[in-house]
Amino acid sequence: MQIVVRRTGGIAGTTRSWRLDTESCADPDGWSALVDDLPREPPVRRRQQVRDDFEWTITVARTTVTVPGSQLDGQWATLVERVRTEGEPA
């Protein structure tokens, strides 16, 4: 399964991306468990906006969600951090 994490915005307005293929990782079962534990509904975007906030676009297989950085938490934050740590820059 392909996972792509893309971060845009911030003060400089730059974009960075990371990509990971769970089938070629040392722990594909751990990745499957992490993905299976993700909430079925994407995080709810609250009206409050944070100036110069990042925006995260997370694609897991064929599902894509977008989350403001100030609202990235829980399992979604865990997934993003793991992909950034273990994945390759895209």
Side-chain angles (χ1 to χ4, degrees):
M1 151 181 37
Q2 292 285 321
I3 303 174
V4 178
V5 170
R6 186 170 148 237
R7 183 188 74 192
T8 59
I11 294 173
T14 59
T15 298
R16 295 198 55 200
S17 298
W18 298 265
R19 176 181 313 272
L20 182 114
D21 179 3
T22 62
E23 299 304 317
S24 62
C25 291
D27 183 21
D29 292 335
W31 282 100
S32 291
L34 178 59
V35 169
D36 289 344
D37 287 344
L38 290 172
R40 293 293 158 222
E41 295 295 319
V44 176
R45 294 179 73 132
R46 296 186 287 268
R47 291 180 186 221
Q48 176 187 9
Q49 293 186 359
V50 177
R51 190 172 189 205
D52 297 324
D53 198 4
F54 288 118
E55 183 171 86
W56 295 90
T57 303
I58 307 155
T59 302
V60 179
R62 290 175 279 193
T63 302
T64 300
V65 299
T66 301
V67 183
S70 60
Q71 297 174 31
L72 183 68
D73 61 4
Q75 290 299 104
W76 291 104
T78 301
L79 177 72
V80 165
E81 185 58 34
R82 242 187 114 181
V83 171
R84 289 179 66 196
T85 302
E86 299 178 35
E88 298 291 325

